[in-house]
Amino acid sequence: NAGVTQTPKFRVLKTGQSMTLLCAQDMNHEYMYWYRQDPGMGLRLIHYSVGEGTTAKGEVPDGYNVSRLKKQNFLLGLESAAPSQTSVYFCASSFRTGGVTGELFFGEGSRLTVL
Amino acid sequence: AQKVTQAQTEISVVEKEDVTLDCVYETRDTTYYLFWYKQPPSGELVFLIRRNSFDEQNEISGRYSWNFQKSTSSFNFTITASQVVDSAVYFCALTTTGTSGTYKYIFGTGTRLKVLA
């Protein structure tokens, strides 16, 4: 019963380094999302995907790239990390079927620090 | 555009008091869903409730209740007889099925609730 799994859980980077956060879900959900959470800012949508092979920009996409090559995986990449990208990142997935929109299922979060 | 406003940044109450967390939303779509999530100090996000725009009945689940009013675009959350374990950050969220922001789930900035023993 894994649900949504994020790796890694913690990471420290130096400015300019690159990294990829992996999100995997085992619920066969079509929709997947990446959010960042900063103090006082709530959860802000970075990118999302409505199906395998599709991606779209959210509220704060600059500095990030994503890919959805397989339905169960959604990757978030930082090509050149900046201190402003220090944050907690959450991946989520959801379903929409038969006219019903489901809630978001969240991973446990990944804490990223950029020095 | 979609927007969710949680004007209360932080609320402190004494145990056993009732507390209401406010959520005001904006959308031009007629079909939408509203959600509440709880984030305890451990950091995970816990789903509490989902409500669609066609169901304006209030809902009660134990000590939790939700008041949905389309006329004021509000979806408020009340905890009755609060307990220390209710201390957390609570988020309200909105998603629509219309053309404006379809598939996006937009969150408010959250309300931190502190319940004092």
Side-chain angles (χ1 to χ4, degrees):
Chain A
N1 237 13
V4 179
T5 303
Q6 295 179 225
T7 53
K9 298 288 191 293
F10 301 93
R11 184 75 187 269
V12 178
L13 287 178
K14 294 182 179 178
T15 297
Q17 287 185 322
S18 63
M19 77 157 295
T20 300
L21 292 172
L22 170 63
C23 177
Q25 53 97 2
D26 61 3
M27 297 171 284
N28 202 35
H29 286 170
E30 287 292 334
Y31 305 92
M32 296 187 74
Y33 303 81
W34 276 107
Y35 289 87
R36 59 177 289 172
Q37 183 178 20
D38 304 292
M41 307 287 285
L43 291 156
R44 293 184 292 169
L45 181 62
I46 305 171
H47 286 282
Y48 63 104
S49 168
V50 301
E52 182 178 318
T54 73
T55 63
K57 294 180 180 180
E59 303 168 90
V60 289
D62 294 342
Y64 305 94
N65 57 75
V66 287
S67 64
R68 183 103 182 263
L69 298 179
K70 293 182 179 181
K71 185 177 183 178
Q72 64 268 32
N73 296 337
F74 194 29
L75 279 63
L76 178 70
L78 286 71
E79 289 188 348
S80 179
S84 61
Q85 294 177 304
T86 293
S87 187
V88 179
Y89 292 85
F90 285 96
C91 177
S93 69
S94 72
F95 68 89
R96 294 181 190 230
T97 182
V100 175
T101 296
E103 67 273 20
L104 286 172
F105 290 77
F106 281 94
E108 293 180 338
S110 298
R111 184 175 294 275
L112 174 65
T113 301
V114 183
L115 303 176
Chain B
Q2 303 174 94
K3 186 177 181 182
V4 175
T5 301
Q6 295 180 255
Q8 304 153 309
T9 304
E10 185 168 314
I11 301 175
S12 292
V13 298
V14 177
E15 207 170 18
K16 299 184 182 177
E17 284 185 358
D18 299 347
V19 58
T20 295
L21 309 182
D22 298 332
C23 173
V24 174
Y25 62 93
E26 295 176 29
T27 179
R28 294 182 180 177
D29 292 317
T30 56
T31 303
Y32 52 89
Y33 288 77
L34 296 161
F35 307 83
W36 276 94
Y37 282 84
K38 174 182 179 180
Q39 187 176 43
S42 50
E44 73 272 24
L45 286 151
V46 179
F47 166 71
L48 295 178
I49 189 171
R50 176 186 68 199
R51 178 51 53 100
N52 75 54
S53 54
F54 298 108
D55 183 1
E56 289 193 69
Q57 281 193 337
N58 292 332
E59 181 154 341
I60 298 175
S61 177
R63 297 184 297 107
Y64 294 171
S65 62
W66 290 268
N67 183 352
F68 177 30
Q69 293 200 338
K70 288 177 77 170
S71 60
T72 56
S73 298
S74 64
F75 186 43
N76 297 337
F77 172 32
T78 297
I79 301 175
T80 302
S82 59
Q83 299 177 2
V84 173
V85 292
D86 296 326
S87 297
V89 180
Y90 291 87
F91 292 99
C92 181
L94 163 73
T95 190
T96 77
T97 59
T99 55
S100 61
T102 303
Y103 307 123
K104 296 180 184 178
Y105 291 71
I106 302 301
F107 284 76
T109 51
T111 297
R112 181 178 299 278
L113 175 65
K114 293 184 177 179
V115 181
L116 309 172

